[in-house]
Amino acid sequence: MIKGKEQRGQRSLGWCLAGSLWVAVAWSGPVHATAAQEQTAVERFPVRVTAVIAGGQVEIDRGRDVRIEVGDRVVFQTKSGQRYSGRVEQVGDRQSLVRPTDPQAVLPLATRGDVWVPAERFESEAEPEQPVVVDPEVVPVPPEHPPWKRLEEEWSEQDPLLARIRPLRPEERVSRQGGRVYGIWEPRFFSDTGQSEWYHRIGGEYWQENPFGRGGTLRIDGEWQRWQFDRPFADDVGDTGLRLDRASYVWGGTRYERRRYEVGRFLMPGMPELGLVDGVAASERLDNGHSFGGAIGGFPEPDGDLESGHDLTVAAFYRWVADASERWTGVVAFQKTWHDGSQDRDVLVGRMDWMPLEGWQLHGHLWVDLYESGDVGKSSGPEVTVAYLTASRDWNDQWGLHAVASYRRFPLVLRDEYQPTAPDTVLRDHNQRVSLGAWQRLDEQHKLSARLGIWDDEDDDGGDVEVAVDRTNLWGANSRGQLALFHNRAEFTDLYGMRAVYGRFGGGTHWDVLYEFSQNHERGLPSDLDAYYQHRLRATYGWQKAADWSFSIIGEQVFTDDDAALFLGFQYDRSF
């Protein structure tokens, strides 16, 4: 067991980061409250990650078709409810490249998100009226029109044209449906052991508006998974599973009905970070735009099968918004869980998002677990389990800054959310990381960027640094290149390396090639065994067919002095 003062030191670090999060909230409020009220209205468009690009970017399936421009912000949400922000760096007709603010963020294919676009971009300029030339000898004959079915007999010439036109209520609208299907195939081969791994994923989602004539929406989202390990000196192993990520029916929550209800399997409304719920949720929107609500039901385990039946959850939230644009929001939630009938976890969660059109962009969340005297391995009272904050800003697309700070500890839970841990591990294990980055545009084609990160845990500390130069229109239009130098210091290894990337983007296609070389020094080994070299070669190619099909192919080869590994991948996506 660690000493008491050492434990208090770890806790103080967590509370320090938690305090900085709420200081950021307080600073944003008084200084920018007036600006928040004056923010231009925005439109939010749903997007999907269609490819992971070499150099830390991801591709999304929206571009100039929804007026996206370089510098726009994207907020991603993974299937588990985690949220990450990003900045648009390159735009095509129906695709864009986005760089996540957090370099450690993992955004798999098909990750959902929303891109924020100022509404003023959709205000078309009035076109000058063209004079109409009329031939006096030709008498136009108006076409015959069928009898009007919808007569507004109470309308008079003194009323505005649409004064008595009533918009359709959700239950009166024609039922619509849509969705998408996708498939991912990823084989991996290892020369040192002769082993191969095969991963198959086929999934999709389906939605239907007003399916029962009551104005609600039905949503289903699931995936079939298959993995297999072929081992030359042992029995082959594999497994197949069906994962149901969402199956729910929602009604209400519209301009006609402030109360919103949802039944089935869904992410917790207002605070999706709390995870999935198999049950029922209710919420209500207030006159000032704030909302509150709660949910009760089963609590699926966050694994590949999303097994339910062992855990129960009750949760409630309150969501605050600064104005109708919702560019500044805050949420507070409380969740209580039981595992196999025994009381398990009590946790308070807060989240803040500040996204002005100009200025600092802030995103953060804070988890505080509440413990009692009988919880083994924890002291009675509150303890910060997760603290996470990102801040970023750019100045006229000429230079920018970004920072990420995170702190994590093991919570004490009964359910199978983490690997079984000993009380001493729960008490002392933690991880905290801070990274700072900056970029400067040198001219219209060149950009210089640098990033520095430091971390520590219960056993060791380390860090990483990277400096990169990017150039657009290198060896052709719509192309890009990057040259980077980096150094990582891990618990047992020091790594020095360089990375070169070249690719093209636009016209419904993208491709890139990456080469990375690194020298690894293992500390604590004899001098003749402490160093080895690693080469990594990666190529991707993706294309879109019309607006509803997208494909991507990935190949990656990693080899050292003694062994090699080959990774392949194919992905398709069809929207309807």
Side-chain angles (χ1 to χ4, degrees):
M1 301 290 286
I2 64 173
K3 297 180 180 180
K5 63 178 182 180
E6 196 172 342
Q7 180 188 359
R8 290 192 297 272
Q10 293 173 8
R11 284 195 172 196
S12 64
L13 290 171
W15 285 110
C16 181
L17 182 53
S20 67
L21 173 61
W22 301 120
V23 167
V25 176
W27 172 82
S28 300
V31 176
H32 299 289
T34 302
Q37 298 296 331
E38 298 175 352
Q39 287 299 321
T40 305
V42 296
E43 298 285 346
R44 281 174 286 185
F45 294 93
V47 297
R48 292 273 186 179
V49 173
T50 55
V52 179
I53 307 299
Q57 297 173 313
V58 295
E59 181 191 77
I60 60 174
D61 58 353
R62 294 281 193 167
R64 298 190 189 95
D65 55 334
V66 294
R67 307 293 197 275
I68 294 178
E69 295 181 3
V70 172
D72 287 343
R73 294 291 169 174
V74 184
V75 177
F76 297 98
Q77 179 176 296
T78 65
K79 287 189 175 183
S80 63
Q82 299 301 314
R83 292 160 60 93
Y84 299 98
S85 64
R87 178 181 183 273
V88 175
E89 293 193 336
Q90 196 169 347
V91 182
D93 292 336
R94 291 194 182 96
Q95 56 194 151
S96 301
L97 296 184
V98 179
R99 184 176 299 278
T101 304
D102 187 351
Q104 303 292 315
V106 178
L107 300 175
L109 293 174
T111 298
R112 298 177 181 176
D114 289 293
V115 59
W116 294 57
V117 180
E120 61 187 16
R121 294 182 192 166
F122 298 89
E123 299 175 1
S124 58
E125 298 181 358
E127 298 181 359
E129 295 185 1
Q130 301 293 332
V132 179
V133 179
V134 179
D135 188 346
E137 298 182 358
V138 178
V139 179
V141 179
E144 295 185 1
H145 192 283
W148 295 100
K149 296 182 178 179
R150 187 176 180 183
L151 302 177
E152 301 294 339
E153 298 178 354
E154 298 181 1
W155 181 83
S156 66
E157 295 182 355
Q158 286 74 30
D159 293 332
L161 181 60
L162 301 178
R164 301 184 183 275
I165 300 298
R166 181 178 62 84
L168 294 177
R169 298 177 65 89
E171 62 269 19
E172 298 173 336
R173 295 175 181 173
V174 176
S175 179
R176 298 189 309 126
Q177 61 182 347
R180 58 186 291 272
V181 292
Y182 63 89
I184 300 174
W185 176 69
E186 296 178 332
R188 305 175 184 181
F189 307 93
F190 303 89
S191 64
D192 56 339
T193 63
Q195 177 175 308
S196 60
E197 302 176 359
W198 302 79
Y199 299 89
H200 308 271
R201 296 166 54 194
I202 299 175
E205 67 176 66
Y206 172 81
W207 59 264
Q208 184 177 6
E209 294 180 352
N210 196 19
F212 310 118
R214 297 178 178 272
T217 301
L218 176 68
R219 295 186 179 275
I220 302 174
D221 186 353
E223 182 178 279
W224 174 85
Q225 305 170 346
R226 168 67 182 173
W227 62 270
Q228 180 175 332
F229 294 171
D230 295 337
R231 302 181 294 183
F233 304 108
D235 295 336
D236 297 343
V237 294
D239 194 13
T240 302
L242 182 63
R243 176 188 176 107
L244 185 62
D245 293 289
R246 183 169 185 174
S248 69
Y249 179 72
V250 183
W251 70 97
T254 66
R255 59 188 295 187
Y256 302 101
E257 179 57 56
R258 295 183 177 183
R259 292 181 179 177
R260 177 186 183 274
Y261 302 94
E262 186 167 9
V263 295
R265 169 169 288 188
F266 49 85
L267 286 172
M268 173 69 186
M271 187 65 78
E273 291 91 338
L274 290 176
L276 290 170
V277 179
D278 289 342
V280 59
S283 60
E284 183 168 349
R285 186 182 69 255
L286 304 178
D287 292 336
N288 55 10
H290 304 185
S291 59
F292 67 94
I296 183 172
F299 195 29
E301 297 176 0
D303 54 19
D305 299 325
L306 295 178
E307 182 182 355
S308 185
H310 294 280
D311 300 274
L312 175 69
T313 181
V314 175
F317 75 91
Y318 186 91
R319 184 173 186 263
W320 172 90
V321 298
D323 57 21
S325 71
E326 297 189 2
R327 300 188 72 89
W328 186 22
T329 64
V331 188
V332 176
F334 173 75
Q335 183 182 51
K336 189 176 185 64
T337 64
W338 292 263
H339 178 72
D340 290 336
S342 299
Q343 181 176 316
D344 194 3
R345 189 179 190 185
D346 294 340
V347 60
L348 283 167
V349 184
R351 188 185 74 233
M352 180 274 299
D353 296 285
W354 167 245
M355 297 182 62
L357 292 177
E358 298 181 358
W360 286 96
Q361 306 262 343
L362 301 174
H363 304 270
H365 58 258
L366 177 70
W367 295 59
V368 179
D369 276 86
L370 307 176
Y371 295 111
E372 298 178 353
S373 58
D375 293 325
V376 180
K378 296 292 184 180
S379 299
S380 177
E383 179 182 80
V384 175
T385 307
V386 178
Y388 181 83
L389 176 65
T390 67
S392 61
R393 182 177 182 179
D394 62 334
W395 285 263
N396 300 319
D397 196 35
Q398 294 301 308
W399 68 287
L401 298 172
H402 60 84
V404 181
S406 64
Y407 174 85
R408 299 179 184 275
R409 295 185 62 90
F410 272 116
L412 180 63
V413 293
L414 298 177
R415 82 179 194 142
D416 298 331
E417 185 168 346
Y418 304 93
Q419 293 293 333
T421 53
D424 180 59
T425 303
V426 173
L427 176 65
R428 61 190 295 268
D429 279 16
H430 71 281
N431 180 278
Q432 52 197 4
R433 175 180 171 83
V434 176
S435 66
L436 302 173
W439 61 270
Q440 170 73 57
R441 192 169 294 283
L442 305 178
D443 53 39
E444 293 184 357
Q445 293 184 326
H446 295 84
K447 182 177 73 173
L448 176 67
S449 60
R451 174 174 56 85
L452 172 66
I454 57 175
W455 61 268
D456 77 71
D457 58 23
E458 66 282 355
D459 295 321
D460 207 341
D461 54 42
D464 53 85
V465 61
E466 178 173 305
V467 178
V469 176
D470 292 80
R471 176 175 174 175
T472 57
N473 299 324
L474 174 65
W475 302 327
N478 299 321
S479 63
R480 62 186 182 91
Q482 182 189 80
L483 182 63
L485 301 176
F486 56 88
H487 166 58
N488 293 337
R489 178 180 173 84
E491 184 174 357
F492 302 106
T493 306
D494 287 319
L495 183 149
Y496 302 85
M498 61 81 61
R499 180 175 61 249
V501 180
Y502 179 76
R504 289 179 180 267
F505 171 84
T509 64
H510 75 267
W511 63 266
D512 58 72
V513 178
L514 174 147
Y515 171 71
E516 185 176 279
F517 169 79
S518 61
Q519 184 182 41
N520 299 265
H521 291 273
E522 301 288 344
R523 296 192 297 274
L525 295 180
S527 58
D528 58 338
L529 300 175
D530 67 346
Y532 67 93
Y533 300 96
Q534 178 175 291
H535 304 264
R536 177 172 169 240
L537 182 64
R538 184 176 189 265
T540 64
Y541 179 74
W543 70 100
Q544 291 181 333
K545 184 178 181 182
D548 51 0
W549 278 100
S550 66
F551 304 86
S552 65
I553 300 174
I554 302 173
E556 181 173 330
Q557 179 83 44
V558 179
F559 50 94
T560 62
D561 299 335
D562 302 321
D563 57 73
L566 175 64
F567 305 88
L568 300 175
F570 173 74
Q571 180 257 342
Y572 68 87
D573 191 298
R574 168 72 160 89
S575 301
F576 60 88

